[in-house]
Amino acid sequence: MNTLQTTTPARLMYLHMGSKEPQKQIDFYQHMMDMQCERFTDGSAVLRGPNRVVQISPADKHGLLAAAFQLGSKAQQAELRHQLEERGCSVQEITSPILEQGSFSIRDPQGRETIFGVANNHHRADLPGMPGRLQHVVFQTTELEDMVDFYVNTVGFTISDNVMDQETGKLMVCFLRSDDEHHSLAFFRGSKNEWDHHCYETNEWNDIRDWGDRFAKERISIFFGPGRHGPGNNLFFMVVDADRNRLEFSAELEMTTADQAPGNWPQSEYTLNSWGRAWIRS
């Protein structure tokens, strides 16, 4: 089967968040994440920084409304849509202030919305700010095998690493890639179906330090890390935004080849953080 990595490489481009208190979220991403705000008449806002974009809309509850992946061309957009429809996936054309006409969305079996499209002329990588490219998004799910099956066999993601419970042999975490980076999407087995976190990839360890200093200055504490993940081999730490959504800052994420076989890791603290204590989902 053609995969995203081999045929239509896709990179996470923006997240659409819902918020009960959108102004607090807007203030956070402007002040803490060096993002410039564009407001719309429906009360939503698009915030742009260097290689990172978020859309924030008023909502009844906090959380992620959609994750959007950027394709390299209109031809790749058309090819991916054709492949999805051939595999029986329902495709819905959408209008986005961040993507060109012809962008479309799909929903997985649990209702999560994923958008694919080509960036419009307003998307810029040269905006001022600290380095941190929006890079991956992660969910917890009660139906891990079904989610992996959908994103691999219908959408075209590739498994980079699996984390297994050594006593039961049960799959606990799956890391999925859509281009040459180790993962742009991942799922943890959990007791709830919810957004787990999203991540910004920096250039080096010193950037991790500088982001940590920025949050420390505002008395925003790191709740996981700093450390190094086993799968992906990346340095990291995590904090929360104004709505308590989790943000990760990462460096040195592993690169892969298209023929790289999936790795297998034991479910343990060392796998999730080789430097020390880990956050184990339940």
Side-chain angles (χ1 to χ4, degrees):
M1 188 182 86
N2 292 329
T3 67
L4 294 173
Q5 184 179 11
T6 58
T7 308
T8 55
R11 278 196 163 186
L12 185 64
M13 182 186 176
Y14 75 89
L15 300 179
H16 186 187
M17 305 178 194
S19 177
K20 293 190 293 184
E21 299 179 280
Q23 188 56 53
K24 286 187 177 180
Q25 276 289 74
I26 291 168
D27 291 344
F28 175 91
Y29 283 91
Q30 281 186 297
H31 178 59
M32 298 304 303
M33 298 297 295
D34 295 331
M35 300 174 87
Q36 301 175 13
C37 181
E38 179 184 5
R39 296 179 184 271
F40 296 89
T41 56
D42 64 356
S44 67
V46 171
L47 294 102
R48 295 178 172 88
N51 290 304
R52 51 184 179 265
V53 183
V54 296
Q55 182 177 3
I56 297 171
S57 294
D60 294 335
K61 62 180 181 178
H62 303 319
L64 186 66
L65 302 178
F69 286 78
Q70 177 180 353
L71 298 164
S73 67
K74 286 290 190 73
Q76 289 183 355
Q77 178 179 278
E79 173 64 20
L80 178 57
R81 179 166 186 163
H82 172 71
Q83 290 182 14
L84 288 166
E85 290 175 336
E86 277 205 327
R87 297 169 194 153
C89 184
S90 177
V91 174
Q92 181 70 44
E93 193 159 321
I94 65 160
T95 299
S96 166
I98 304 161
L99 300 172
E100 292 188 359
Q101 187 175 0
S103 304
F104 60 87
S105 72
I106 61 173
R107 290 191 180 272
D108 71 22
Q110 290 189 316
R112 299 176 190 84
E113 183 177 19
T114 302
I115 296 169
F116 293 96
V118 177
N120 61 26
N121 293 330
H122 298 292
H123 182 62
R124 292 169 51 196
D126 61 347
L127 293 170
M130 290 175 61
R133 171 175 54 86
L134 182 62
Q135 195 280 320
H136 71 250
V137 62
V138 178
F139 299 92
Q140 294 184 40
T141 177
T142 59
E143 300 175 16
L144 181 54
E145 289 82 4
D146 289 344
M147 293 303 100
V148 173
D149 177 72
F150 175 79
Y151 283 98
V152 171
N153 295 316
T154 299
V155 186
F157 283 81
T158 303
I159 298 174
S160 291
D161 275 317
N162 291 313
V163 178
M164 312 295 294
D165 185 301
Q166 296 301 287
E167 292 185 2
T168 65
K170 182 181 292 187
L171 178 66
M172 300 304 293
V173 191
C174 186
F175 294 88
L176 301 164
R177 66 182 182 267
S178 53
D179 62 4
D180 291 345
E181 292 187 311
H182 179 270
H183 62 282
S184 57
L185 176 67
F187 286 92
F188 282 72
R189 185 183 300 279
S191 58
K192 296 176 286 187
N193 297 301
E194 65 179 19
W195 184 22
D196 190 272
H197 71 271
H198 68 287
C199 181
Y200 299 87
E201 182 72 6
T202 66
N203 298 328
E204 59 173 343
W205 171 249
N206 285 344
D207 296 331
I208 298 284
R209 175 201 64 194
D210 293 346
W211 279 108
D213 285 344
R214 169 172 287 194
F215 286 105
K217 186 177 180 180
E218 299 297 325
R219 304 296 190 268
I220 298 173
S221 298
I222 292 173
F223 80 87
F224 182 22
R228 185 183 288 277
H229 294 311
N233 196 42
N234 50 314
L235 302 160
F236 76 95
F237 74 78
M238 289 188 184
V239 294
V240 297
D241 66 17
D243 284 346
R244 309 295 296 176
N245 302 317
R246 305 175 190 99
L247 291 74
E248 180 177 25
F249 292 84
S250 166
E252 302 182 6
L253 183 66
E254 179 184 337
M255 302 298 289
T256 70
T257 58
D259 60 354
Q260 183 168 313
N264 287 292
W265 297 78
Q267 171 79 335
S268 69
E269 286 196 310
Y270 183 84
T271 291
L272 297 181
N273 182 9
S274 62
W275 288 7
R277 300 303 301 271
W279 168 36
I280 304 291
R281 284 70 166 179
S282 61

